[in-house]
Amino acid sequence: MVQLTPCDEGFDLHAAGRIILRHRPDNVSISVACGDPDVVMVRGNFRLSDRSVASAPLLLCEVDAQGCLALSSVDGAAKVALDYAADASRLTITALSPHDRIALDFTLAPDDVLWGGGEQMSYLALNGRNFPVWTSEPGVGREPGTPLTDQASADGSFAGGDYWTTNYPEPTVLCSGGWALSLGNAEYVELDASAPGRLRVHVWSGMVTMDLFEGVPADLTRQLGARFGPRQALPEWALGGAVVGLKQGEASFDRLDALIEAGAAVSGLWCEDWVGIRETSFGRRLFWDWQWNADRYPDLPARIAALKARGVRFLGYVNPYLAVDGPLYPEAAAQGYFAQELDSDAPYLVDFGEFHAGVVDFTNPAAADWFAEEVIGKRMLDFGLDGWMADFGEYLPTDLRLFDGDPMQEHNRWPVRWAEVNARAVASRGRTGDVLWFMRAGHTGVQAHCPLLWAGDQSVDFSRHDGIGTVITAALSSGLVGNAFSHSDVGGYTSLFGNVRTDELILRWYELGAFSPVMRTHEGNRPDDNLQIDSTPALVAGFVRWSRVHAHLAPYVRHLVAEAQATGLPAQRALFLHYPQDAATFTIQDQYLYGADLMVAPVIEAGASMREVYLPGESWRHLWSGQDYAPGWHNIAAPIGQPPVFYRPGSAFADLFKGLAA
């Protein structure tokens, strides 16, 4: 059991049969400071720094008659109280002096591996690095020193990103030693595992609340899932084929028909441009006013009805901002629904790159109700949409005035508030579990509302930190902290500085998308510059084949949906969730278990025709050849069209899997 044991000189926090936090005068594990933050934001890209002054060390310990702990400095200028609720395994640390920074140093064993941090895209294991927890744009390339990243940041916007920048960070950490922690704080946090033998959790707050858990990784994931409530089901209709992303106005329908006539299995048509478009130097953007644009789609209601009669649902797009030149903006402004400037009642406007938008203030209950009912409810659900991309959520600046709350605390909460608005709108129509909506932004608590993540705006390439491979790491890391379902833009999204799709990239992304809970394509930010799924006969044939693979797996995905609801386990799983005694699985982030019965090792390197695959625990059967492989490392042939996929011969779904090779 997790236990906090006071002693005359300090305390020990026990978990998983060992001490993970030990405080003594010669081993100070809790410290406090006063901070003075500086936050810079350019189009959703943030850089934070802090001019902090540390207190004298907390060398003295007092234990009252009830066993409550207080730590203080010798001069009495710094003091914190510790409260441990054993029934909830919750530790609360409160600064009783005027300090607004708290750091805790957890002790790690030499072989401990750490995971978590929300949705991480570069590294599954956190060891050896520091991970700031602040939701933001991930960046382009995400590797300083490379041409793509450096060009994106050349204008001073730091838009190139880094290994730790992510739409969805979360202050939750799992340890291979058998314990996990999850903070209740929304303030800026750093999860610093850069020093051997230590995890430093540094919080920009005078109070830290932390839930603690024990168990093997799968048990920790189940407990973290339970912390946020049951997972929502994916809509049954979404499992029967691919969601085709097209944004060419009326021409989208003819292109969809051609794909269906070619034999593609299609469950949905996703037209994010249903609201109209705006051409910018970045590429083709949307017109941020969340209602039907009749100029772009003249007969959309009839089109939606006709598609639905054929078993194809229509999906759109929405985000929590309103462009100043759209008709919804003055309506919201007249009601006072926007966040405001610090020194006036004027709406605070965010520069989104060649246009400005107001921030709908979801700390104002009336504004949240208005958006849920008048925008999503009436203009989207009642209009006929069966799903949408619920985009953004990362951009909340810190230099504005909210109806309620401090922007420094609300910034990370913003995606959770945004998710709650979407979930409430869907529930108001009795359609929870039938509407397919998905988000990229998140923080602690988004799991309770959002049924499906997508991995954000990957570059249209094979690059290490921003290409196709990052969506695997994103699914595995987010799945560990209670998010059951993840997917990605098949084909990638960001095309800048001459970086465009290749046939190989699209064909490899088909393979990955087919073995994901939802298979959805995207035309990207510069569709006219890039290959599309219907650009060539070979790309059409590839899409037809892999959409049908995805549809063929629907009975198995249905099983994974039920399993996620019952156990909290994600559909795409890190190998160690089922093989916790096999340390070789602890850092594998480029292949995944799809449920317990499929092993998927997508090809994520350009030009590769083979790849190395690790098979743990038992014999596995190669999907395409039927050959059985013993546990261990293997070099597997992986021509385009045959990514390394294996299944357990004893699986109840073995016949279903075998049918894919027929």
Side-chain angles (χ1 to χ4, degrees), residues 46 48 116-120 126 130-136 164-173 181 183 185-192 200-204 408-409 411-413 442-444:
F46 288 83
L48 288 82
E119 183 187 65
Q120 294 295 330
L126 307 183
N130 182 32
F131 292 83
V133 175
W134 188 261
T135 179
S136 68
W164 50 268
T165 47
T166 172
N167 305 109
Y168 176 6
E170 181 178 322
T172 297
V173 177
L181 62 85
L183 270 63
N185 293 72
E187 297 92 345
Y188 177 81
V189 173
E190 291 184 6
L191 303 173
D192 186 357
R200 170 164 288 179
V201 179
H202 183 207
V203 187
W204 285 14
M408 284 296 295
Q409 294 178 335
H411 175 83
N412 279 335
R413 287 194 188 114
H443 193 262
T444 310

Side-chain angles (χ1 to χ4, degrees), residues 312-366:
V312 178
R313 306 293 184 103
F314 185 85
L315 295 85
Y317 174 101
V318 67
N319 73 46
Y321 311 97
L322 293 172
V324 297
D325 51 349
L328 281 175
Y329 178 88
E331 180 180 339
Q335 298 295 325
Y337 290 158
F338 290 119
Q340 297 174 327
E341 297 279 356
L342 286 175
D343 55 359
S344 77
D345 292 336
Y348 184 104
L349 299 182
V350 179
D351 177 4
F352 282 95
E354 299 169 43
F355 69 95
H356 290 79
V359 183
V360 180
D361 186 353
F362 294 139
T363 68
N364 180 347

Side-chain angles (χ1 to χ4, degrees), residues 54-92:
S55 79
L58 303 173
L59 302 179
L60 304 181
C61 177
E62 305 170 34
V63 183
D64 65 20
Q66 287 73 42
C68 294
L69 280 166
L71 305 174
S72 60
S73 58
V74 173
D75 61 8
K79 188 173 184 178
V80 300
L82 279 72
D83 177 55
Y84 179 65
D87 58 339
S89 293
R90 176 168 293 172
L91 177 65
T92 302

Side-chain angles (χ1 to χ4, degrees), residues 270 389 454 456-457 487-493 509 520-522:
W270 174 51
M389 174 182 279
W454 105 92
D457 296 344
H487 77 305
S488 64
D489 295 336
V490 169
Y493 173 79
W509 220 310
R520 177 185 54 81
T521 68
H522 200 312

Side-chain angles (χ1 to χ4, degrees), residues 137-470:
E137 284 278 6
V140 179
R142 302 180 68 253
E143 189 175 8
T146 59
L148 190 60
T149 298
D150 289 351
Q151 286 181 78
S153 298
D155 62 356
S157 67
F158 32 86
D162 212 324
Y163 72 86
W164 50 268
T165 47
T166 172
N167 305 109
Y168 176 6
E170 181 178 322
T172 297
V173 177
L174 300 82
C175 179
S176 62
W179 56 273
L181 62 85
S182 185
L183 270 63
N185 293 72
E187 297 92 345
Y188 177 81
V189 173
E190 291 184 6
L191 303 173
D192 186 357
S194 58
R198 185 195 75 185
L199 169 65
R200 170 164 288 179
V201 179
H202 183 207
V203 187
W204 285 14
S205 175
M207 176 182 286
V208 175
T209 302
M210 179 182 304
D211 290 341
L212 297 155
F213 308 89
E214 291 181 311
V216 297
D219 290 336
L220 296 174
T221 293
R222 291 186 186 101
Q223 292 174 63
L224 289 165
R227 181 185 183 210
F228 304 110
R231 306 283 70 78
Q232 294 183 26
L234 292 177
E236 177 70 24
W237 59 264
L239 310 183
V243 175
V244 178
L246 300 172
K247 50 181 178 182
Q248 201 180 353
E250 277 292 290
S252 301
F253 299 104
D254 289 339
R255 292 172 65 192
L256 178 72
D257 287 342
L259 290 168
I260 294 173
E261 289 170 8
V266 175
S267 62
L269 172 63
W270 174 51
C271 295
E272 58 176 353
D273 63 333
W274 78 289
V275 294
I277 62 170
R278 185 193 304 268
E279 296 287 353
T280 72
S281 60
F282 179 77
R284 186 163 299 158
R285 306 287 299 274
L286 305 179
F287 191 78
W288 288 17
D289 187 83
W290 314 121
Q291 52 193 329
W292 168 37
N293 185 295
D295 291 333
R296 186 88 176 154
Y297 286 91
D299 198 22
L300 188 54
R303 290 283 198 180
I304 291 174
L307 284 174
K308 198 162 187 176
R310 297 164 58 192
V312 178
R313 306 293 184 103
F314 185 85
L315 295 85
Y317 174 101
V318 67
N319 73 46
Y321 311 97
L322 293 172
V324 297
D325 51 349
L328 281 175
Y329 178 88
E331 180 180 339
Q335 298 295 325
Y337 290 158
F338 290 119
Q340 297 174 327
E341 297 279 356
L342 286 175
D343 55 359
S344 77
D345 292 336
Y348 184 104
L349 299 182
V350 179
D351 177 4
F352 282 95
E354 299 169 43
F355 69 95
H356 290 79
V359 183
V360 180
D361 186 353
F362 294 139
T363 68
N364 180 347
D369 290 346
W370 174 81
F371 205 100
E373 175 60 23
E374 297 297 327
V375 179
I376 298 178
K378 292 181 179 177
R379 290 172 170 84
M380 296 173 63
L381 286 165
D382 295 349
F383 182 75
L385 270 62
D386 284 307
W388 54 82
M389 174 182 279
D391 205 358
F392 289 93
E394 308 90 344
Y395 274 57
L396 184 73
T398 60
D399 60 343
L400 48 62
R401 183 158 49 93
L402 297 170
F403 179 84
D404 184 28
D406 178 356
M408 284 296 295
Q409 294 178 335
E410 286 294 333
H411 175 83
N412 279 335
R413 287 194 188 114
W414 215 248
V416 184
R417 291 187 182 276
W418 174 223
E420 194 277 334
V421 167
N422 282 268
R424 181 145 45 96
V426 173
S428 74
R429 298 318 194 253
R431 298 194 59 197
T432 302
D434 181 54
V435 174
L436 185 69
W437 62 278
F438 42 97
M439 292 179 59
R440 66 178 190 176
H443 193 262
T444 310
V446 77
Q447 303 93 326
H449 308 295
C450 178
L452 176 66
L453 298 179
W454 105 92
D457 296 344
Q458 276 69 32
S459 291
V460 292
D461 58 27
F462 292 92
S463 60
R464 166 64 181 86
H465 292 278
D466 196 29
I468 182 174
T470 61

